[in-house]
Structure formats: C-alpha cells, structure tokens
Amino acid sequence: MTDLFTPLLTPEGRALLDEVRGTDPARELAVATRLRRDHPAELVSAALGQARLRQRAVAKFGAEDAGRMFFTPHGVEQSTRASVAAYRAGRLRELGVGSVADLCCGIGGDALAMARAGIRVLAVDRDPLTVAVARANAEALGLDGLIEVRQADVTEVDVSSYDAVFVDPARRGGHAGGAARSASVRGGGRATGGRIFDPEAYSPPLSWAVESALRARIAALKVAPGIPHEAVPGAAEAEWVSDGGDVKEAVLWFGTAPGAVRATLLPGPRSLRGRGLPDPEVRPVGRYLYEPDGAVIRAHLVAEVADGLDGGLLDPTIAYVTTDEARPTPYATGYEITDHLPFNVKKLKALLRERRVGTLTVKKRGSAVEPEELRRKVKPQGPGAATVFLTRVAGAPAMLIGRPLDRR
C-alpha cells in the first residue's frame, strides 16, 4: 500500500491532487477516463481516492487543513477531531509539557495539534503506510521541525527522555488506525461495527498503556467513551469529552489528579468536576426538563448537574433532570414541559393534531419505542413544532411534550 501512496508525493502526484480537488463523485468515472490518457491508471485512482478522503476529512480537520493533508480510510474514521486534539494539546501545554511521545500516532492528527501548541513530538506507529502518511502530514502543514515520525513497535520505544506520553490504542479489530495491529477479543468484547469494549483487547492492551503511563511524569491515554468506570485505574483522572453535544472520547490522565472525574464540553472548553455527590432524589415532573450532555452522563456527573439546577430525577434509572425553575447551565439542554401524559400513541396524535404540530423532535431514554416508528404513527402536520420525550416517570412509561429553552 505504501508503494501506491508514495507517488502522490511526487510533482506529478501533487499536480493530479490539485486537478481532482473537489471532484463530484458522480463525475469520477469521466474524470478518471480523461486523466488516464496522460497519467498512470494507478496514480489517477490513488489521487481520486485521496480526494474523496479529503472531502470526508473536512468535518474533522476543517477545509483548509483537510485540503492539504493525506489520509487513509481508517485514518479519517479513527483520527481525533481537530478541536478535541487542540484542547488536549492545550491542556498538556498548561501542565508544563514541552515534549511528548505519541504512541500509536495513526495519521498524526494529535501530533499535529501538539506541535501547533509548541510541543516537540515523537510520533510512533508500526504500520509503514500510516507512518508515511503521518510524515507527509507533518510536512504538508509545516510542522516537521517539531514532529519526528518513527516506524516501530510502540512497546519497544524508549520514551524516558520525554515529558509526557500520549497513547491512542486501536479499538477496532483488524488493521485499525494507531497501532495497526489485530487484537483478540475476549468474552464478547466486540460490539457491532468492530469496536472493542474490553480495554484489555485494545492494541496495545490498556494494562500495557497504564504501565507505561505510570513511568511518565504526565500521561494521557485515549480510551473508548464507553469504558466501564470500574476499569479506570485508581491512579488516573478520568475525563470524558464532547464536542457540539457529541461524546468523542474518554481520556485517562496520569500525573494530574488521581481519582478525579470530569466532563469537558467543547467548544469552550467548560469542565464539570465530580464532587462525589449521592444520586439525586426522584421527584414529580416539574415545569422544566434538562437533558445532560452526553459527556456528563458518561462521567456519571448527573448528580452535579441536578444539584446546580436544584432539581431531581424523573426516574432513578433515567438521566433526565426536572425542575420548577429555569436556570441556565452549559452542561444540559433545557426544555419547558407543557404536557405530561401516560404513554398512549392515540392521545399524542390527537394532541399534536389539535396544536398543528408538523415539526416533531422525538427523544427517548428508557423507552423501547423508536422515534421514526412514532413519527409514522402520529403523522405530524402543520406549522407548529414540539419535542416529545419517551421515557419513564417513577417507573411508568410516559410522554412529556415541550419546547427547547433559549440557551442565551
């Protein structure tokens, strides 16, 4: 695969990349046919493939960087979103880190962010193609003076001379991003789509990464957001990060605040720290409902949000907070509740028809009903808009109808 990538770095390859930039997928065949008259077929195919990957990468890296960088399919899918990588790099810089060993670096997304924060980076991966792409990205963004890319087995690299270690192990089976190694999955650790939930089935395993982290002054280990809290080492600070409301990752920090838990929301950043509060009490449905950010829920910090809102839970097992007063919070989205009904599709359909609701947002938590199924049954029509929550209230299936609060 490296043999197919290297020609893209030649003057002919770069000229082709410029020519196929932004090619409409519907026109690819015609463009390929024309270009193959003057260029090798494999080079044309590689350039068009790279153009497609660059288009996909815009969502993570922005148009300017994505248009200059190089990608692999796994690299686009598994690399850290630029905003998240920049936040983590900034935190490392605040911790006084001047050099980082980035182990399982993948295509170099995190290394680029750290270099832009002024941190010297050793980026290591064992897959030749991944290393070639990471090196090309460092050069393309003018950061190769701060980034050394090395092909090696991360378990054999001496990182003792670096201020910090960052590890992003592969969390998919087969050839997968950073480590680019297959990993055996034990006891049902694999989820649909190939993601790995068992931390010991990461490649390299979490235990190895933790052992390496404990030898460093500062370390950050990127893990799946669904990591069980009981799998978090006692020496680590656990941080869950969301961007624009979507949970992106969890990070185990070493050398910061052992045992601490935080949820960080981007943009911002805004960080909510755990205070060890007991579970909120269950209370009747109030005038307002708050849906905590996914990072807050993953970090088990719903109690901290409820405490700040002076609210309680609708149900002991559901992460919806209800209050009698509207209070601004960056850690949850608020709604004014207009109706509280037992679950009944016919009653909901009649209510929506009466209020001429045509734009219906369906949210569910603790309900087996699928949003699209409900929309088909109630057939919303009209100029109005509403949000319906399918959930449980004190154990009973319920429907709450409301509208979002102004977050300003």
Side-chain angles (χ1 to χ4, degrees), residues 343 345-346 349 353 369-380:
F343 182 81
V345 175
K346 289 184 179 180
K349 183 176 182 178
R353 184 168 55 243
V369 179
E370 292 300 326
E372 287 305 319
E373 175 188 352
L374 183 69
R375 284 195 190 89
R376 285 195 299 270
K377 289 181 177 179
V378 301
K379 301 176 182 177

Side-chain angles (χ1 to χ4, degrees), residues 228-259:
H229 278 235
E230 57 269 22
V232 175
E237 171 195 1
E239 178 181 33
W240 279 261
V241 181
S242 68
D243 187 13
D246 295 327
V247 182
K248 295 301 178 185
E249 64 181 47
V251 181
L252 306 183
W253 292 89
F254 294 80
T256 54

Side-chain angles (χ1 to χ4, degrees), residues 25 32 84 98 103 133 169 180 215 221 274 310 323 349 360 363 378 398-399:
V84 178
L103 308 181
V133 172
R215 293 196 296 266
L221 311 183
D310 193 23
T323 70
K349 183 176 182 178
L360 183 66
K363 292 179 171 287
V378 301
M399 301 182 299

Side-chain angles (χ1 to χ4, degrees), residues 91-290:
R91 189 172 178 199
L92 285 167
R93 194 65 189 173
E94 289 174 0
L95 291 168
V97 171
S99 61
V100 173
D102 179 0
L103 308 181
C104 309
C105 68
I107 63 169
D110 284 284
L112 296 171
M114 289 186 279
R116 279 178 165 165
I119 299 172
R120 181 171 57 87
V121 184
L122 169 65
V124 183
D125 200 289
R126 70 177 297 173
D127 178 64
L129 173 60
T130 302
V131 166
V133 172
R135 187 173 290 120
N137 285 335
E139 294 173 356
L141 299 189
L143 296 168
D144 47 318
L146 283 171
I147 301 175
E148 175 194 347
V149 183
R150 184 184 303 175
Q151 182 183 347
D153 186 323
V154 297
T155 63
E156 299 174 358
V157 176
D158 180 7
V159 299
S160 59
S161 63
Y162 292 83
D163 295 338
V165 171
F166 173 65
V167 187
D168 181 7
R171 290 174 296 282
R172 288 180 182 271
H175 179 96
R181 289 180 284 187
S182 61
S184 60
V185 180
R186 299 176 301 177
R190 188 186 304 277
T192 302
R195 289 191 182 276
I196 295 172
F197 287 161
D198 178 2
E200 282 309 293
Y202 291 176
S203 180
L206 181 61
S207 58
W208 175 88
V210 170
E211 184 179 340
S212 299
L214 292 173
R215 293 196 296 266
R217 181 174 73 84
I218 299 290
L221 311 183
K222 181 177 172 181
V223 295
I227 184 173
H229 278 235
E230 57 269 22
V232 175
E237 171 195 1
E239 178 181 33
W240 279 261
V241 181
S242 68
D243 187 13
D246 295 327
V247 182
K248 295 301 178 185
E249 64 181 47
V251 181
L252 306 183
W253 292 89
F254 294 80
T256 54
V261 175
R262 73 160 74 184
T264 296
L265 282 56
L266 303 176
R270 296 177 181 271
S271 287
L272 179 67
R273 292 171 174 79
R275 292 181 282 136
L277 300 179
D279 291 340
E281 293 183 357
V282 176
R283 52 150 293 172
V285 178
R287 183 177 176 183
Y288 301 98
L289 179 147
Y290 286 86

Side-chain angles (χ1 to χ4, degrees), residues 7 47 52 69-70 78 89-90 278 309 323 339 373:
R52 287 194 300 272
M69 292 173 64
F70 297 88
Q78 297 184 27
L309 294 169
T323 70
D339 301 89
E373 175 188 352

